[in-house]
Amino acid sequence: MGFWASGRHRSDTELLAAHVAGDRHAFAELFRRHHRQLYRLARQSSLSREDADDAVQDAMLSAHRSAESFRDDAAVGTWLHRIVRNACLDRLRRAQARPTVPFQDVHPVSDRTSQVETAIVVRRALLRLPIQQRAAVVAVDLQGYSIAETARRLGVPEGTVKSRCARGRARLANLLGYPEMIGAT
């Protein structure tokens, strides 16, 4: 399972082709290989863990069903990344279309350290950014991807990534109460 008869490790492209050809285990192996990264993307682009779980599940079902349409013009990982990002965007659009109840912290913890409090404040501020800006800022500033890699993964020009990062950082500075930080880099 997961190896050719020769015992050689299969590439993502080979796994996807094997899945299309009827190998029942190939897609599961591909999913296991990419799950952590795809879930991290979904978690950063979703309002809750449940939404992230659902988005990954929706995306994997979509990828499973549409594997035959994969064009070998991008890496399989990039293709899966794009499907998860689109699933997250779809979920966010649906959530905006229906009324929501504001989040209430039911179990406040009084002994949180300032570092944890800061992380929570920043995370909430990130969630207030438009999804395109959030994706660019998270990829470049938090995950450490280069502008070029982020552009490739998001399927947009490098200049678009740069402008989304700049706008996202400026909005974050305002949301976090540091408007003097805008443009200071």
Side-chain angles (χ1 to χ4, degrees):
M1 182 160 92
F3 291 92
W4 293 108
S6 67
R8 172 175 83 75
H9 183 76
R10 294 192 282 183
S11 71
D12 290 348
T13 304
E14 290 168 331
L15 284 171
L16 195 59
H19 162 67
V20 170
D23 181 336
R24 297 180 327 150
H25 304 289
F27 194 83
E29 184 175 337
L30 187 63
F31 177 71
R32 274 192 302 277
R33 188 176 289 175
H34 291 275
H35 180 263
R36 177 177 278 152
Q37 181 182 15
L38 296 174
Y39 180 76
R40 190 177 324 126
L41 167 67
R43 187 63 189 107
Q44 292 168 342
S45 303
S46 300
L47 299 174
S48 69
R49 292 184 194 282
E50 293 79 17
D51 281 347
D53 288 337
D54 291 346
V56 170
Q57 183 176 352
D58 292 348
M60 289 304 97
L61 285 172
S62 176
H64 189 272
R65 291 180 184 138
S66 64
E68 287 182 23
S69 68
F70 173 73
R71 295 179 321 272
D72 203 9
D73 59 348
V76 173
T78 302
W79 177 69
L80 292 172
H81 185 275
R82 199 169 283 146
I83 292 172
V84 169
R85 182 175 46 98
N86 288 338
C88 290
L89 287 170
D90 289 345
R91 289 190 142 296
L92 287 170
R93 285 186 198 108
R94 283 195 300 268
Q96 288 175 350
R98 63 179 187 262
T100 59
V101 177
F103 175 76
Q104 295 179 359
D105 194 359
V106 180
H107 304 288
V109 178
S110 60
D111 65 345
R112 293 184 192 247
T113 65
S114 62
Q115 185 179 12
V116 172
E117 289 172 349
T118 301
I120 291 169
V121 169
V122 170
R123 178 156 178 83
R124 286 184 178 158
L126 276 169
L127 288 173
R128 293 180 62 193
L129 292 180
I131 186 69
Q132 295 85 359
Q133 289 176 6
R134 183 182 333 144
V137 168
V138 166
V140 173
D141 295 338
L142 299 180
Q143 294 180 333
Y145 288 111
S146 68
I147 297 292
E149 177 64 14
T150 300
R152 188 178 67 75
R153 289 179 173 269
L154 295 177
V156 298
E158 289 182 28
T160 301
V161 171
K162 290 177 185 178
S163 67
R164 287 178 182 175
C165 283
R167 288 185 187 117
R169 290 173 189 138
R171 184 146 185 214
L172 274 176
N174 270 333
L175 291 170
L176 295 171
Y178 296 101
E180 68 275 5
M181 296 298 293
I182 297 174
T185 53

